[in-house]
Amino acid sequence: MANRVFNFNPGPATLPLDVLKTVQQELLDYKGTGMSVMEISHRSAEFDEINDTCIALFKEILELDDSCHVLFMGGGASTQFAMVPMNFLPKGGTAAYVDTGSWSSKAIKEAKLLGNVHLAGSSKESKYDHIPDKLDIPGDAAYLHLTSNNTIYGTQYQAYPDTGGVPLVCDMSSDIASRRWDFNKFDLIYAGAQKNLGPAGVTVVIIKQTMLDKCAEGNPTMFNYRTHAEKKSLYNTPPAFPIYIVKVVLEWVKTQGGLHAVEKANMAKKERIYQLMDQHPDYFRGTVQPGSRSWMNITMRLPSEDLEKKFIAEAKTAGMVGLKGHRSVGGIRVSLYNAMPLEGAEKLARFMEEFKKKN
Ligand SMILES: *Cc1c(COP(=O)(O)O)cnc(C)c1O
């Protein structure tokens, strides 16, 4: 489509054009109902099918054990920052957290309201420029909480720690379904959909039955994971339209060839940009240590703030938007989620080369 741009926004982010077209095509009359998915009952057979298919696609694409529950909730990943300790951090107990940036810090803040937090690792001292490689995990911690990809700072775990039996909880908001992992290593995964899975409004929670068994008693109904697991996320009205779009996105992932193909594409995209940065390290100044580089959000500074402004403005004129770094860190941020085509990364790389030559 002629007026579509390459959208490098960090979230809400670009969606595959094919997904938008499917949604558009089905918008006014969903499968012969004469209604939009926005207008049908969440108790209808049509929605049941959407819900079941979405759950099944998560299990298939992430190769999850059948005993996992896939939940669709509201409130964003930020609500999960509180729900995790509400359910798993007993009064007087301790949970271990790794602080790798703003999102981890926010999760820690919520846990501290409810119990003790043991800092198992942190890269705060070096401005979050890496993922700590040695963690100190107390054997009696209620769980270890990680943020897999740091959307703002541009770091990402390239391997996950062995927790020695301590349950592993992970905020995967900005890199879920972007590459292959053994997702069954995690006892609980949560992710806001608006980066790699769909639109804002739904948060996916993947929880093992063994973890579900540990949920605290006595929490208000909506703040108890068991409620959502027992009712297949239909205790109340779920964010039905976002769930539907996530389903269409996962169908698209499958058509691409699943995580294997998505990983290959994501690798090619990030390499295109990092290679260029490595060729001109004094100009495109990466802000993170090479071993912790994110595949999803590439962060850099240019030689001056004026050049950064010019870069962002000229990229926009050339049809590439969303390249401004987070307001807390500045600079340039290139978000390369699943839906960004290789063509977009290549166009940006060419633009970067030209920009450097001229400036
Ligand atoms: C965007 C983001 C969040 C916040 O998600 P909301 O859905 O806005 O609450 C949390 N964690 C990470 C890693 C993120 O990228």
Side-chain angles (χ1 to χ4, degrees):
M1 260 189 148
N3 57 347
R4 295 273 301 170
V5 294
F6 284 116
N7 170 3
F8 294 92
N9 272 317
T14 186
L15 286 166
L17 187 56
D18 286 344
V19 167
L20 296 176
K21 283 183 177 165
T22 301
V23 172
Q24 182 182 45
Q25 200 197 333
E26 294 182 332
L27 190 70
L28 301 185
D29 178 9
Y30 182 71
K31 301 206 167 160
T33 57
M35 295 177 277
S36 161
V37 173
M38 282 184 272
E39 303 169 294
I40 64 176
S41 167
H42 58 295
R43 311 278 174 212
S44 63
E46 285 80 15
F47 188 74
D48 232 15
E49 204 249 340
I50 290 170
N51 198 28
D52 287 344
T53 306
C54 199
I55 294 168
L57 282 165
F58 269 108
K59 289 192 172 181
E60 182 184 343
I61 290 168
L62 302 187
E63 296 183 35
L64 300 172
D65 285 347
D66 227 27
S67 68
C68 280
H69 299 266
V70 180
L71 316 178
F72 305 122
M73 299 174 61
S78 300
T79 300
Q80 298 302 313
F81 295 163
M83 258 193 90
V84 166
M86 277 175 84
N87 280 272
F88 304 112
L89 178 51
K91 260 209 177 74
T94 299
Y97 278 74
V98 181
D99 183 12
T100 48
S102 318
W103 299 117
S104 314
S105 303
K106 286 184 172 167
I108 290 169
K109 180 177 161 225
E110 300 303 293
K112 279 184 174 165
L113 295 170
L114 296 152
N116 304 313
V117 168
H118 169 89
L119 210 53
S122 171
S123 48
K124 192 175 180 179
E125 298 283 278
S126 58
K127 293 197 180 130
Y128 298 120
D129 70 344
H130 69 288
I131 300 289
D133 54 359
K134 285 216 175 51
L135 301 182
D136 165 32
I137 311 163
D140 61 350
Y143 56 84
L144 172 72
H145 180 284
L146 309 175
T147 312
S148 55
N149 179 72
N150 300 287
T151 328
I152 294 174
Y153 289 93
T155 62
Q156 184 183 32
Y157 284 81
Q158 304 301 328
Y160 285 99
D162 181 359
T163 61
V166 171
L168 186 55
V169 174
C170 193
D171 173 2
M172 286 198 192
S173 293
S174 52
D175 68 350
I176 190 166
S178 65
R179 57 202 279 193
R180 287 172 299 166
W181 290 117
D182 179 2
F183 291 96
N184 294 304
K185 268 183 81 156
F186 301 89
D187 295 271
L188 189 154
I189 293 168
Y190 61 89
Q194 69 271 27
K195 277 109 190 197
N196 228 0
L197 293 175
V202 60
T203 307
V204 178
V205 176
I206 298 166
I207 182 169
K208 278 189 182 165
Q209 179 63 47
T210 47
M211 196 65 176
L212 198 64
D213 291 339
K214 293 183 193 162
C215 282
E217 299 290 346
N219 278 326
T221 313
M222 282 297 284
F223 298 88
N224 183 344
Y225 288 112
R226 280 200 197 98
T227 305
H228 302 280
E230 281 163 11
K231 302 282 188 204
K232 258 186 5 191
S233 309
L234 291 167
Y235 171 77
N236 72 325
T237 319
F241 198 64
I243 293 169
Y244 155 69
I245 300 178
V246 170
K247 183 206 78 143
V248 182
V249 169
L250 293 179
E251 286 168 345
W252 173 83
V253 167
K254 234 182 110 170
T255 322
Q256 300 301 298
L259 280 202
H260 183 75
V262 163
E263 172 179 299
K264 231 176 110 184
N266 285 337
M267 193 184 290
K269 283 169 349 195
K270 62 101 184 169
E271 275 177 2
R272 192 71 183 82
I273 305 297
Y274 281 127
Q275 271 169 11
L276 194 63
M277 290 166 66
D278 288 340
Q279 278 162 22
H280 311 290
D282 298 329
Y283 198 83
F284 300 114
R285 305 170 178 180
T287 60
V288 309
Q289 294 182 16
S292 298
R293 283 174 166 180
S294 168
W295 294 24
M296 297 277 101
N297 311 98
I298 301 180
T299 51
M300 70 189 90
R301 301 301 310 238
L302 300 190
S304 74
E305 284 188 19
D306 282 346
L307 277 176
E308 288 167 352
K309 280 198 192 109
K310 194 167 178 212
F311 181 94
I312 291 159
E314 288 185 7
K316 189 172 175 193
T317 308
M320 292 170 284
V321 304
L323 291 161
K324 194 168 191 280
H326 190 266
R327 60 189 182 278
S328 63
V329 294
I332 306 291
R333 169 172 51 177
V334 181
S335 298
L336 297 172
Y337 299 122
N338 289 358
M340 173 59 62
L342 179 59
E343 220 190 317
E346 281 177 344
K347 179 171 173 173
L348 179 65
R350 285 194 302 274
F351 171 83
M352 287 167 70
E353 272 176 323
E354 284 303 308
F355 187 85
K356 186 191 167 284
K357 270 187 213 146
K358 284 188 284 185
N359 295 279

